[in-house]
Amino acid sequence: MSTPPHSRRIPAAFALITAATLALTGCGSDDSAQTASGAAPAGKSAKIPTTDVVSSVKKNEAAADLLPADVRERGTLALASSVGGTPPGALYLEDGRTIVGQDIDFADAVAKVLGLKLKREAASFEAILPALGSGKYDLGTGNFGVTDERRKTIDFVTYINDGQGFAVRKDSKLKKVTDFEQLCGLNVATGAGTTFEVTLEDNKHVCEDAGKKPYSVKTYAEQSAIWAALQQGRADVVMSTINGLRYAVKQQEGLKFLGEYHRLDVGFAFKKGTKLAPAFRAAVDQLIKDGTYDRILEKWGTQGSAIEKSRISPPEIKD
């Protein structure tokens, strides 16, 4: 989603990508962990929590009754999952086949509440929302933030609250980013094909308006490349999600998180006008009620992203 050309403050719209290059070690109450695919600093193995927080979830008949009759009869839904390579969203284990992450746990738990089976397919982040409109998938996950622009063509059912922020090396003079003018003259790394990229490009004018050297936007398809660029000095700052940034700086020496800038709701994404939304909202609320919700957040160390209840396509959170 683009930003009005004369906005100097960082806009609320953003694409929720998974930002860390490493998984969290020893998260939650699980003592066991598996090695994740992807880069780890200084040759260390990246670990992820493997606590089973889904298998005990029971079907809730009241929530399932809200499903369209054809979906109840079919018993399956086609789900597109953006697998960014790192937690807390979704990533592959070393076997290259098993997908784990917070998004995966929430989708699987909701499916159990509704008595459905998910036909999950990994898809690129930028391809999922257009594919929902074409009918290729019934729903998508990828830490999709609820923005007013997206609500024009997509319906959401919220399940967490995340946001945007920045991270730098510890030797950076940046303390907190509140205005794009603070980035003038710097190299800013972010994910290719995300709204972070669009937002940065749309606001380059603030440096020219202030008579300063523009910042340079460095985009990468792989998250490991983003963090390598920062560590090696080819980038001065990374723009990404709150949860992802927090994971990254915990796992890599010499980095610091500059704090939260802005919060957004995150939701399951559906084609506009979907009849699935009421059932999914009821399912998320059931997970909150029975404690599964808190167990998923604890597993991934994202308790700060908790919501009190699910909503269908709420207005974008504004500062």
Side-chain angles (χ1 to χ4, degrees):
M1 176 178 168
S2 62
T3 304
H6 299 295
S7 171
R8 291 184 55 186
R9 283 181 58 79
I10 304 168
F14 70 108
L16 285 171
I17 58 173
T18 314
T21 56
L22 303 210
L24 181 64
T25 303
C27 190
S29 60
D30 185 26
D31 292 330
S32 65
Q34 295 189 21
T35 304
S37 59
K44 297 179 182 178
S45 295
K47 304 290 185 179
I48 64 169
T50 55
T51 307
D52 178 4
V53 291
V54 175
S55 63
S56 63
V57 176
K58 305 298 182 183
K59 180 179 179 180
N60 181 277
E61 296 295 343
D65 285 346
L66 296 174
L67 289 167
D70 62 325
V71 175
R72 290 201 305 273
E73 182 177 352
R74 186 171 72 241
T76 61
L77 287 176
L79 166 65
S81 293
S82 173
V83 185
T86 54
L91 70 155
Y92 287 106
L93 293 181
E94 272 197 334
D95 62 12
R97 300 184 303 273
T98 306
I99 304 175
V100 298
Q102 180 172 262
D103 284 348
I104 306 306
D105 283 343
F106 273 119
D108 288 348
V110 165
K112 287 184 72 69
V113 171
L114 298 177
L116 298 173
K117 292 183 180 296
L118 296 176
K119 294 182 176 180
R120 179 178 283 110
E121 180 178 323
S124 64
F125 174 86
E126 63 273 18
I128 292 178
L129 298 186
L132 294 175
S134 72
K136 182 177 181 179
Y137 305 110
D138 296 304
L139 72 152
T141 59
N143 272 355
F144 290 113
V146 181
T147 68
D148 290 339
E149 183 67 20
R150 284 178 174 160
R151 290 193 307 133
K152 294 176 182 178
T153 56
I154 298 293
D155 281 340
F156 294 93
V157 174
T158 62
Y159 59 95
I160 60 169
N161 177 277
D162 200 345
Q164 61 187 174
F166 294 86
V168 294
R169 294 185 303 277
K170 286 186 176 178
D171 61 3
S172 174
K173 294 181 180 179
L174 282 174
K175 303 298 182 184
K176 186 175 179 64
V177 178
T178 59
D179 190 308
F180 278 105
E181 191 176 332
Q182 294 172 262
L183 303 178
C184 296
L186 301 179
N187 293 320
V188 186
T190 195
T194 68
T195 310
F196 287 123
E197 178 186 359
V198 175
T199 296
L200 288 165
E201 293 290 350
D202 283 354
N203 282 275
K204 276 186 174 180
H205 69 90
V206 302
C207 297
E208 182 179 351
D209 294 347
K212 298 181 179 181
K213 180 181 178 180
Y215 55 77
S216 177
V217 181
K218 307 293 185 181
T219 60
Y220 301 89
E222 298 294 332
Q223 297 304 306
S224 58
I226 293 177
W227 295 104
L230 183 64
Q231 291 279 26
Q232 296 168 11
R234 288 178 284 111
D236 302 298
V237 58
V238 168
M239 183 182 185
S240 193
T241 66
I242 293 169
N243 285 337
L245 292 173
R246 282 177 169 157
Y247 269 140
V249 301
K250 283 182 179 179
Q251 298 303 314
Q252 300 181 76
E253 295 181 0
L255 301 183
K256 62 181 178 181
F257 175 52
L258 297 186
E260 299 181 7
Y261 172 75
H262 181 75
R263 283 273 174 176
L264 279 186
D265 291 315
V266 176
F268 296 105
F270 304 85
K271 181 180 180 179
K272 191 71 176 179
T274 181
K275 295 181 180 180
L276 295 170
F280 270 72
R281 177 178 59 185
V284 174
D285 287 344
Q286 174 61 26
L287 295 175
I288 294 173
K289 180 180 179 181
D290 69 20
T292 302
Y293 184 86
D294 287 339
R295 288 190 287 274
I296 293 174
L297 294 182
E298 181 181 1
K299 174 181 176 179
W300 296 103
T302 54
Q303 293 93 327
S305 287
I307 59 174
E308 293 184 359
K309 63 179 181 179
S310 179
R311 295 191 292 169
I312 298 174
S313 297
E316 179 180 336
I317 296 174
K318 305 289 187 179
D319 285 331

